[in-house]
Amino acid sequence: MTPIAFDTSHLLAGGLVLVSFAMIYQNRLQALLRTFALHAVVLSAAVAWQAFTQSAEQLYLTAAIALVFKAIIIPAALRRIVQRLGIHREVEQVVGTGLTMLAGMGLVALSIVVMLDVTAKAGAFAREDLAFALSVVLLGLLMMVTRRNAVSQVVGFMSLENGLILAAAGARGMPLVVEISVAFSILIAFIVIGIFLFRIRERFDTVDLHALDSFRGERR
Amino acid sequence: MIDVAAGAALFCLLLSALAVARRGRASLSATLYTLTILPCLAQAAAGLAILGGAAGGQMVLPIGLPWLGAHLRLDALSAFFLVIIGTGGAAISLFAVGYGRHEEEPGRVLPFYPAFLGAMTLVVLADDAFTFLVAWEVMSLLSWALVMAHHRRDEVRSAGYLYLLMAALGTMALIVAFGLLAGADGSFAFSEIRAASRPVGVTALAAGLVLIGAGSKAGIAPLHLWLPEAHPAAPSHVSALMSGVMTKVAVYAVLRVVFDLLGPLPWWASPALILLGAGTAVLGIFNAAMADDMKKILAYSTIENIGVIFAALGLAQAFLAEGMRAAAALALSAALFHAFNHMAFKSLLFMGAGAVLTATGRRDLDGLGGLIRRMPVTAFLTLVAVTAISALPPLNGFASEWMVFQSLLASPRLPHLGLEMVIPAAGGLLALAAALAAAAFVRFYGVAFLGRARSDAAARALEVDRAMLAGMGVLAALCVLVGLVPALVLDRLSPVVTALTGTHLPVQGDQPWLTLVPVAAARSTYNPLLVFAFIAVTASLAAWGAVRMGSRVVRRGPAWDCGYPEPSVTTQYGAGSLAQPLRRVLGPVLLQSREEVEMPAPGDMAPARHRVVQGDPIRDTLYLPVVRAVLWAATLIDRLQFLTIRRYLAMVMATLVSLLLVLSLWG
């Protein structure tokens, strides 16, 4: 791998982590969805760059899927949902932004330490790619934990999945079948969750998870 | 011979399959119980043949663990317990031919009963740890299913739950014990376990675990709590089987592992066993003297007899540890003999209680009375059992308890100060237990069978049918015969005792007039025939004299109301009144019992009340804290059920992050 190729993929993977951080401090849903679209674009670019450097044509398809579904269709659909539900102004973080950002930094540090330890024998690129991917996964999880709204949990889940795709693209020779099945499972998850959002909304007049909890007889 | 025994077990299992196939219909009941007698007789005969010198044998079945198979083996020890299972099973099945007719839910009893017998046989035959544990657990579960036969009653359900918990605890202890014995390379066959050498700590630990596992099944204090609940809850013939036979299978487990597989324990292990046995005996029989329910009294008395057996086993261990083989043989013979006798009279007593239950529908002592006139045969057969269990000569209970005390008297020759102090104390406890047993069974028999009927049901009771009486008659005859010629029984025990202690008692059958001479003629002998002749002659003379000189003479005297100023039946001595003196003496210590008197204020017309409050120190100090801890932990964990989705996610994340942290710190 030439230095320029290495640097570029490093830049793109690092960019993905950066956009993950950007998603964490978005406290409006509309802004969050736009950032998520950006996240998917960066992912698509990273995967495409991998396809170019590894000369693996099927990764172009992966990149295209990511671009079409995750950067365009899903954010647009979620935006429609948010508008129809009328929750585009809601602030819905549970933990303050600063604290979440600090926690996110800790997670990134942790994943880098772990990955560099574990993959001591692998190539430099694979190591850093995996470290970035794990960071993205953990940040997605962090977002799911710190958000109150079901829509933003969907977004957190999708960004978590982006991290998985990044890791998969970095590993050479991942079969396309796996890739496509992952993409479709995500799509189906999105559809199911979307339907559930409306059902929840119909029943409780809100998609705030708090309502669900009190419905289950939650003791606080 | 092994194929006969294994075939009998298989036949029992097939009978259960038949009962399942016919959906346990009531019409099947008599046939099924009659068919169950056959394998029982076969295995009793096989066991007797081996004790008489026939060759045992081994068998490997291609079932179970693939590299192990199921090993079966029939040696003298197994044969002796086969005799117990076979004899008890045959008599009880004969009784059940009649008793089963009155069963309200035969579908819940018939499919399990023959298989329960078969499982007990398999436990005794098993020759590897895996087969043993599987058979043991099957036996536990089947007996649980039988206990739950009348599951619509609340107390039966709670008894079943308690039994299930204790059975699980026991099996777990046994699994751990066999795991320790099998070692790291997993040699589960008994022959390998027997050959292996292990450090003394492991030996003692395994012995302790087996004591917990088998002791919980036998009813050793403090693991006995379930027994007086579960044994009475089952249908009476099952109670007889559980109390008379299954507890012996537990004794077998201790003998097999501690005496056969482990070899002699260090000397300091035996005092624990002796004191545990003696304490269990006193605690059990005291509770029996307090209980009001016929079957509960019998269950508590089972605990006492198991205590006596375990104390004798402890003595045998103490003697073995010092190499006093003759004394060990005496103590072990006493334990085995008592196990056999207890099978006979306790099964008989439970059948008697079952007959009373059939005839009157009641088993509370205070609802019975006067049955000796309504049910003369049952009353006579129960009297035999009561005499035997109270250890009165010339019946079998006396012979075996006498031998237990003979082995206690051999103990001063033991070299350890600790044992010297413990054994006389245990002897005192055992003597107390024997006396209390007599008191408890005077109360049992007197209140239930003598006096006047305390309820209409008792007044209208009718004698039970012939099958039930025959089943009881067989065991009553056995009690008398064994009591009269214990020497012949003891000679049959010698192969077992030789296998476990290396020596045996002097041959008893050669003594003149079948006298029992366990140690030496100079020390002590017992001739049951002589005692029987003496009792028969003196009793006949006394009766003759009473009839001849007493009742012919007409006397005139002042009118006396015979101590019954009121004609009401409640003025008779009842269960409570016979229990009171003992309860006042021992109750405050053993049962935390106290009497409360509620006096109404002057001028108040309310009646004064006299109440007995009693608890159970063992339950309160050992079991309730555990129950509370489990509930506390469960409540704590229960909160996980009600977390928000976000918190579940947070837990997932926390787990992931902490695993990653572990990886980065130690990876």
Side-chain angles (χ1 to χ4, degrees), chain B residues 455-493:
Chain B
S455 66
D456 289 346
R460 282 198 303 270
L462 289 178
E463 185 59 276
V464 290
D465 59 42
R466 290 215 188 115
M468 290 163 84
L469 292 179
M472 291 156 74
V474 170
L475 287 185
L478 196 67
C479 284
V480 176
L481 280 181
V482 170
L484 288 181
V485 290
L488 301 182
V489 181
L490 283 176
D491 285 344
R492 286 285 167 130
L493 288 181

mmCIF file of all heavy atoms in Angstrom, chain B residues 455-493:
data_model
loop_
_atom_site.group_PDB
_atom_site.id
_atom_site.type_symbol
_atom_site.label_atom_id
_atom_site.label_comp_id
_atom_site.label_asym_id
_atom_site.label_seq_id
_atom_site.Cartn_x
_atom_site.Cartn_y
_atom_site.Cartn_z
ATOM 1 N N SER B 455 -64.579 -40.176 67.131
ATOM 2 C CA SER B 455 -65.342 -39.586 66.035
ATOM 3 C C SER B 455 -66.288 -40.638 65.487
ATOM 4 O O SER B 455 -66.100 -41.831 65.726
ATOM 5 C CB SER B 455 -64.412 -39.096 64.924
ATOM 6 O OG SER B 455 -63.783 -40.206 64.335
ATOM 7 N N ASP B 456 -67.297 -40.190 64.756
ATOM 8 C CA ASP B 456 -68.243 -41.138 64.174
ATOM 9 C C ASP B 456 -67.545 -42.058 63.185
ATOM 10 O O ASP B 456 -67.854 -43.247 63.104
ATOM 11 C CB ASP B 456 -69.355 -40.379 63.443
ATOM 12 C CG ASP B 456 -70.256 -39.689 64.448
ATOM 13 O OD1 ASP B 456 -70.147 -40.029 65.641
ATOM 14 O OD2 ASP B 456 -71.030 -38.816 64.040
ATOM 15 N N ALA B 457 -66.604 -41.468 62.439
ATOM 16 C CA ALA B 457 -65.896 -42.274 61.442
ATOM 17 C C ALA B 457 -65.188 -43.441 62.115
ATOM 18 O O ALA B 457 -65.231 -44.578 61.637
ATOM 19 C CB ALA B 457 -64.902 -41.409 60.689
ATOM 20 N N ALA B 458 -64.561 -43.181 63.263
ATOM 21 C CA ALA B 458 -63.856 -44.247 63.964
ATOM 22 C C ALA B 458 -64.845 -45.247 64.546
ATOM 23 O O ALA B 458 -64.585 -46.451 64.577
ATOM 24 C CB ALA B 458 -62.979 -43.663 65.057
ATOM 25 N N ALA B 459 -65.985 -44.757 64.978
ATOM 26 C CA ALA B 459 -66.960 -45.657 65.573
ATOM 27 C C ALA B 459 -67.562 -46.583 64.525
ATOM 28 O O ALA B 459 -67.988 -47.682 64.835
ATOM 29 C CB ALA B 459 -68.066 -44.848 66.247
ATOM 30 N N ARG B 460 -67.600 -46.116 63.271
ATOM 31 C CA ARG B 460 -68.216 -46.934 62.224
ATOM 32 C C ARG B 460 -67.188 -47.673 61.372
ATOM 33 O O ARG B 460 -67.541 -48.237 60.342
ATOM 34 C CB ARG B 460 -69.051 -46.036 61.311
ATOM 35 C CG ARG B 460 -70.390 -45.651 61.910
ATOM 36 C CD ARG B 460 -71.306 -45.166 60.824
ATOM 37 N NE ARG B 460 -70.696 -44.052 60.108
ATOM 38 C CZ ARG B 460 -70.852 -42.781 60.470
ATOM 39 N NH1 ARG B 460 -71.587 -42.479 61.491
ATOM 40 N NH2 ARG B 460 -70.278 -41.835 59.785
ATOM 41 N N ALA B 461 -65.908 -47.657 61.786
ATOM 42 C CA ALA B 461 -64.858 -48.253 60.947
ATOM 43 C C ALA B 461 -65.118 -49.735 60.727
ATOM 44 O O ALA B 461 -65.662 -50.418 61.592
ATOM 45 C CB ALA B 461 -63.502 -48.063 61.623
ATOM 46 N N LEU B 462 -64.748 -50.215 59.540
ATOM 47 C CA LEU B 462 -64.874 -51.638 59.231
ATOM 48 C C LEU B 462 -63.487 -52.189 58.920
ATOM 49 O O LEU B 462 -62.638 -51.480 58.386
ATOM 50 C CB LEU B 462 -65.778 -51.837 58.015
ATOM 51 C CG LEU B 462 -67.259 -51.544 58.256
ATOM 52 C CD1 LEU B 462 -68.034 -51.732 56.970
ATOM 53 C CD2 LEU B 462 -67.800 -52.445 59.344
ATOM 54 N N GLU B 463 -63.282 -53.457 59.227
ATOM 55 C CA GLU B 463 -61.999 -54.093 58.940
ATOM 56 C C GLU B 463 -61.700 -54.026 57.444
ATOM 57 O O GLU B 463 -62.626 -54.092 56.611
ATOM 58 C CB GLU B 463 -62.061 -55.556 59.412
ATOM 59 C CG GLU B 463 -60.756 -56.309 59.291
ATOM 60 C CD GLU B 463 -59.644 -55.668 60.090
ATOM 61 O OE1 GLU B 463 -59.018 -54.735 59.573
ATOM 62 O OE2 GLU B 463 -59.398 -56.089 61.237
ATOM 63 N N VAL B 464 -60.419 -53.874 57.106
ATOM 64 C CA VAL B 464 -60.062 -53.730 55.696
ATOM 65 C C VAL B 464 -60.007 -55.103 55.020
ATOM 66 O O VAL B 464 -60.139 -56.134 55.675
ATOM 67 C CB VAL B 464 -58.701 -53.015 55.557
ATOM 68 C CG1 VAL B 464 -58.851 -51.569 55.948
ATOM 69 C CG2 VAL B 464 -57.654 -53.703 56.380
ATOM 70 N N ASP B 465 -59.787 -55.098 53.699
ATOM 71 C CA ASP B 465 -59.932 -56.349 52.955
ATOM 72 C C ASP B 465 -58.721 -57.275 53.131
ATOM 73 O O ASP B 465 -57.727 -56.908 53.764
ATOM 74 C CB ASP B 465 -60.186 -56.062 51.477
ATOM 75 C CG ASP B 465 -59.068 -55.269 50.882
ATOM 76 O OD1 ASP B 465 -57.910 -55.564 51.182
ATOM 77 O OD2 ASP B 465 -59.342 -54.326 50.112
ATOM 78 N N ARG B 466 -58.832 -58.463 52.523
ATOM 79 C CA ARG B 466 -57.850 -59.516 52.809
ATOM 80 C C ARG B 466 -56.472 -59.195 52.251
ATOM 81 O O ARG B 466 -55.468 -59.516 52.863
ATOM 82 C CB ARG B 466 -58.330 -60.831 52.201
ATOM 83 C CG ARG B 466 -59.514 -61.350 52.944
ATOM 84 C CD ARG B 466 -59.501 -62.858 52.992
ATOM 85 N NE ARG B 466 -60.770 -63.301 53.555
ATOM 86 C CZ ARG B 466 -61.667 -64.001 52.866
ATOM 87 N NH1 ARG B 466 -61.408 -64.341 51.625
ATOM 88 N NH2 ARG B 466 -62.778 -64.366 53.431
ATOM 89 N N ALA B 467 -56.432 -58.567 51.070
ATOM 90 C CA ALA B 467 -55.120 -58.296 50.473
ATOM 91 C C ALA B 467 -54.311 -57.393 51.389
ATOM 92 O O ALA B 467 -53.117 -57.620 51.619
ATOM 93 C CB ALA B 467 -55.305 -57.643 49.103
ATOM 94 N N MET B 468 -54.966 -56.348 51.915
ATOM 95 C CA MET B 468 -54.241 -55.441 52.802
ATOM 96 C C MET B 468 -53.784 -56.187 54.048
ATOM 97 O O MET B 468 -52.634 -56.053 54.494
ATOM 98 C CB MET B 468 -55.136 -54.262 53.179
ATOM 99 C CG MET B 468 -55.395 -53.332 52.021
ATOM 100 S SD MET B 468 -56.794 -52.234 52.295
ATOM 101 C CE MET B 468 -56.017 -50.953 53.202
ATOM 102 N N LEU B 469 -54.670 -56.994 54.612
ATOM 103 C CA LEU B 469 -54.291 -57.730 55.816
ATOM 104 C C LEU B 469 -53.165 -58.716 55.516
ATOM 105 O O LEU B 469 -52.241 -58.883 56.327
ATOM 106 C CB LEU B 469 -55.504 -58.471 56.372
ATOM 107 C CG LEU B 469 -56.589 -57.556 56.932
ATOM 108 C CD1 LEU B 469 -57.752 -58.378 57.430
ATOM 109 C CD2 LEU B 469 -56.044 -56.682 58.046
ATOM 110 N N ALA B 470 -53.218 -59.323 54.314
ATOM 111 C CA ALA B 470 -52.164 -60.285 53.971
ATOM 112 C C ALA B 470 -50.824 -59.583 53.873
ATOM 113 O O ALA B 470 -49.802 -60.071 54.381
ATOM 114 C CB ALA B 470 -52.511 -60.973 52.660
ATOM 115 N N GLY B 471 -50.810 -58.418 53.204
ATOM 116 C CA GLY B 471 -49.561 -57.671 53.088
ATOM 117 C C GLY B 471 -48.987 -57.349 54.451
ATOM 118 O O GLY B 471 -47.779 -57.470 54.700
ATOM 119 N N MET B 472 -49.871 -56.928 55.372
ATOM 120 C CA MET B 472 -49.395 -56.610 56.710
ATOM 121 C C MET B 472 -48.983 -57.877 57.448
ATOM 122 O O MET B 472 -47.990 -57.883 58.191
ATOM 123 C CB MET B 472 -50.494 -55.884 57.494
ATOM 124 C CG MET B 472 -50.768 -54.500 56.971
ATOM 125 S SD MET B 472 -52.426 -53.940 57.372
ATOM 126 C CE MET B 472 -52.244 -53.615 59.080
ATOM 127 N N GLY B 473 -49.756 -58.955 57.230
ATOM 128 C CA GLY B 473 -49.468 -60.203 57.926
ATOM 129 C C GLY B 473 -48.094 -60.739 57.583
ATOM 130 O O GLY B 473 -47.378 -61.250 58.468
ATOM 131 N N VAL B 474 -47.715 -60.619 56.304
ATOM 132 C CA VAL B 474 -46.394 -61.107 55.891
ATOM 133 C C VAL B 474 -45.302 -60.430 56.722
ATOM 134 O O VAL B 474 -44.423 -61.097 57.293
ATOM 135 C CB VAL B 474 -46.175 -60.822 54.395
ATOM 136 C CG1 VAL B 474 -44.742 -61.086 54.016
ATOM 137 C CG2 VAL B 474 -47.117 -61.647 53.557
ATOM 138 N N LEU B 475 -45.390 -59.110 56.821
ATOM 139 C CA LEU B 475 -44.323 -58.406 57.537
ATOM 140 C C LEU B 475 -44.406 -58.660 59.043
ATOM 141 O O LEU B 475 -43.375 -58.724 59.717
ATOM 142 C CB LEU B 475 -44.386 -56.915 57.230
ATOM 143 C CG LEU B 475 -43.918 -56.550 55.830
ATOM 144 C CD1 LEU B 475 -43.900 -55.056 55.647
ATOM 145 C CD2 LEU B 475 -42.538 -57.106 55.555
ATOM 146 N N ALA B 476 -45.628 -58.794 59.562
ATOM 147 C CA ALA B 476 -45.745 -59.077 60.993
ATOM 148 C C ALA B 476 -45.095 -60.427 61.305
ATOM 149 O O ALA B 476 -44.350 -60.569 62.290
ATOM 150 C CB ALA B 476 -47.204 -59.072 61.414
ATOM 151 N N ALA B 477 -45.364 -61.414 60.440
ATOM 152 C CA ALA B 477 -44.742 -62.722 60.639
ATOM 153 C C ALA B 477 -43.229 -62.603 60.563
ATOM 154 O O ALA B 477 -42.490 -63.221 61.350
ATOM 155 C CB ALA B 477 -45.254 -63.692 59.579
ATOM 156 N N LEU B 478 -42.768 -61.757 59.624
ATOM 157 C CA LEU B 478 -41.326 -61.558 59.487
ATOM 158 C C LEU B 478 -40.750 -60.961 60.769
ATOM 159 O O LEU B 478 -39.687 -61.386 61.249
ATOM 160 C CB LEU B 478 -41.072 -60.631 58.294
ATOM 161 C CG LEU B 478 -39.663 -60.606 57.772
ATOM 162 C CD1 LEU B 478 -39.328 -61.944 57.162
ATOM 163 C CD2 LEU B 478 -39.526 -59.517 56.724
ATOM 164 N N CYS B 479 -41.448 -59.983 61.334
ATOM 165 C CA CYS B 479 -40.973 -59.357 62.574
ATOM 166 C C CYS B 479 -40.830 -60.414 63.668
ATOM 167 O O CYS B 479 -39.833 -60.442 64.397
ATOM 168 C CB CYS B 479 -41.956 -58.294 63.053
ATOM 169 S SG CYS B 479 -41.883 -56.772 62.130
ATOM 170 N N VAL B 480 -41.825 -61.269 63.779
ATOM 171 C CA VAL B 480 -41.790 -62.263 64.850
ATOM 172 C C VAL B 480 -40.685 -63.287 64.582
ATOM 173 O O VAL B 480 -39.858 -63.577 65.460
ATOM 174 C CB VAL B 480 -43.152 -62.963 64.970
ATOM 175 C CG1 VAL B 480 -43.089 -64.069 66.004
ATOM 176 C CG2 VAL B 480 -44.215 -61.954 65.341
ATOM 177 N N LEU B 481 -40.638 -63.787 63.338
ATOM 178 C CA LEU B 481 -39.653 -64.825 63.033
ATOM 179 C C LEU B 481 -38.234 -64.316 63.220
ATOM 180 O O LEU B 481 -37.403 -64.965 63.859
ATOM 181 C CB LEU B 481 -39.847 -65.297 61.584
ATOM 182 C CG LEU B 481 -40.982 -66.290 61.368
ATOM 183 C CD1 LEU B 481 -41.048 -66.685 59.911
ATOM 184 C CD2 LEU B 481 -40.733 -67.513 62.244
ATOM 185 N N VAL B 482 -37.972 -63.150 62.637
ATOM 186 C CA VAL B 482 -36.619 -62.602 62.758
ATOM 187 C C VAL B 482 -36.299 -62.338 64.217
ATOM 188 O O VAL B 482 -35.169 -62.524 64.670
ATOM 189 C CB VAL B 482 -36.490 -61.327 61.905
ATOM 190 C CG1 VAL B 482 -35.199 -60.621 62.186
ATOM 191 C CG2 VAL B 482 -36.579 -61.675 60.443
ATOM 192 N N GLY B 483 -37.314 -61.922 64.963
ATOM 193 C CA GLY B 483 -37.082 -61.689 66.381
ATOM 194 C C GLY B 483 -36.757 -62.970 67.115
ATOM 195 O O GLY B 483 -35.967 -62.966 68.061
ATOM 196 N N LEU B 484 -37.349 -64.083 66.678
ATOM 197 C CA LEU B 484 -37.115 -65.332 67.402
ATOM 198 C C LEU B 484 -35.796 -65.988 67.002
ATOM 199 O O LEU B 484 -35.158 -66.642 67.829
ATOM 200 C CB LEU B 484 -38.270 -66.306 67.155
ATOM 201 C CG LEU B 484 -39.575 -65.924 67.861
ATOM 202 C CD1 LEU B 484 -40.642 -66.951 67.593
ATOM 203 C CD2 LEU B 484 -39.347 -65.794 69.364
ATOM 204 N N VAL B 485 -35.404 -65.853 65.733
ATOM 205 C CA VAL B 485 -34.147 -66.501 65.316
ATOM 206 C C VAL B 485 -33.192 -65.484 64.687
ATOM 207 O O VAL B 485 -32.803 -65.623 63.530
ATOM 208 C CB VAL B 485 -34.410 -67.663 64.334
ATOM 209 C CG1 VAL B 485 -35.059 -68.807 65.063
ATOM 210 C CG2 VAL B 485 -35.289 -67.214 63.196
ATOM 211 N N PRO B 486 -32.824 -64.454 65.425
ATOM 212 C CA PRO B 486 -31.899 -63.464 64.848
ATOM 213 C C PRO B 486 -30.576 -64.099 64.452
ATOM 214 O O PRO B 486 -29.895 -63.600 63.559
ATOM 215 C CB PRO B 486 -31.726 -62.443 65.973
ATOM 216 C CG PRO B 486 -32.076 -63.176 67.214
ATOM 217 C CD PRO B 486 -33.119 -64.167 66.828
ATOM 218 N N ALA B 487 -30.218 -65.201 65.109
ATOM 219 C CA ALA B 487 -28.925 -65.816 64.820
ATOM 220 C C ALA B 487 -28.811 -66.198 63.356
ATOM 221 O O ALA B 487 -27.777 -65.964 62.712
ATOM 222 C CB ALA B 487 -28.756 -67.052 65.703
ATOM 223 N N LEU B 488 -29.901 -66.736 62.799
ATOM 224 C CA LEU B 488 -29.847 -67.158 61.401
ATOM 225 C C LEU B 488 -29.716 -65.949 60.476
ATOM 226 O O LEU B 488 -29.007 -65.989 59.477
ATOM 227 C CB LEU B 488 -31.088 -67.969 61.064
ATOM 228 C CG LEU B 488 -31.264 -69.229 61.921
ATOM 229 C CD1 LEU B 488 -32.489 -70.004 61.477
ATOM 230 C CD2 LEU B 488 -30.016 -70.082 61.812
ATOM 231 N N VAL B 489 -30.393 -64.850 60.815
ATOM 232 C CA VAL B 489 -30.274 -63.643 59.981
ATOM 233 C C VAL B 489 -28.856 -63.112 60.031
ATOM 234 O O VAL B 489 -28.267 -62.744 59.011
ATOM 235 C CB VAL B 489 -31.264 -62.582 60.472
ATOM 236 C CG1 VAL B 489 -31.183 -61.347 59.607
ATOM 237 C CG2 VAL B 489 -32.672 -63.136 60.478
ATOM 238 N N LEU B 490 -28.282 -63.095 61.232
ATOM 239 C CA LEU B 490 -26.930 -62.538 61.366
ATOM 240 C C LEU B 490 -25.924 -63.359 60.571
ATOM 241 O O LEU B 490 -24.974 -62.807 60.013
ATOM 242 C CB LEU B 490 -26.526 -62.489 62.834
ATOM 243 C CG LEU B 490 -27.185 -61.342 63.591
ATOM 244 C CD1 LEU B 490 -26.823 -61.420 65.059
ATOM 245 C CD2 LEU B 490 -26.746 -60.018 63.017
ATOM 246 N N ASP B 491 -26.138 -64.672 60.515
ATOM 247 C CA ASP B 491 -25.207 -65.476 59.723
ATOM 248 C C ASP B 491 -25.292 -65.121 58.246
ATOM 249 O O ASP B 491 -24.283 -65.129 57.537
ATOM 250 C CB ASP B 491 -25.509 -66.958 59.921
ATOM 251 C CG ASP B 491 -25.026 -67.422 61.282
ATOM 252 O OD1 ASP B 491 -24.217 -66.672 61.870
ATOM 253 O OD2 ASP B 491 -25.443 -68.484 61.745
ATOM 254 N N ARG B 492 -26.502 -64.784 57.793
ATOM 255 C CA ARG B 492 -26.639 -64.367 56.395
ATOM 256 C C ARG B 492 -25.929 -63.045 56.126
ATOM 257 O O ARG B 492 -25.564 -62.735 55.000
ATOM 258 C CB ARG B 492 -28.120 -64.214 56.043
ATOM 259 C CG ARG B 492 -28.825 -65.549 55.878
ATOM 260 C CD ARG B 492 -28.407 -66.145 54.569
ATOM 261 N NE ARG B 492 -28.785 -67.540 54.474
ATOM 262 C CZ ARG B 492 -29.442 -68.043 53.427
ATOM 263 N NH1 ARG B 492 -29.792 -67.277 52.434
ATOM 264 N NH2 ARG B 492 -29.720 -69.314 53.390
ATOM 265 N N LEU B 493 -25.775 -62.224 57.180
ATOM 266 C CA LEU B 493 -25.118 -60.927 56.993
ATOM 267 C C LEU B 493 -23.609 -61.055 56.862
ATOM 268 O O LEU B 493 -22.954 -60.116 56.425
ATOM 269 C CB LEU B 493 -25.412 -60.012 58.187
ATOM 270 C CG LEU B 493 -26.825 -59.465 58.291
ATOM 271 C CD1 LEU B 493 -26.935 -58.572 59.510
ATOM 272 C CD2 LEU B 493 -27.142 -58.679 57.047
#
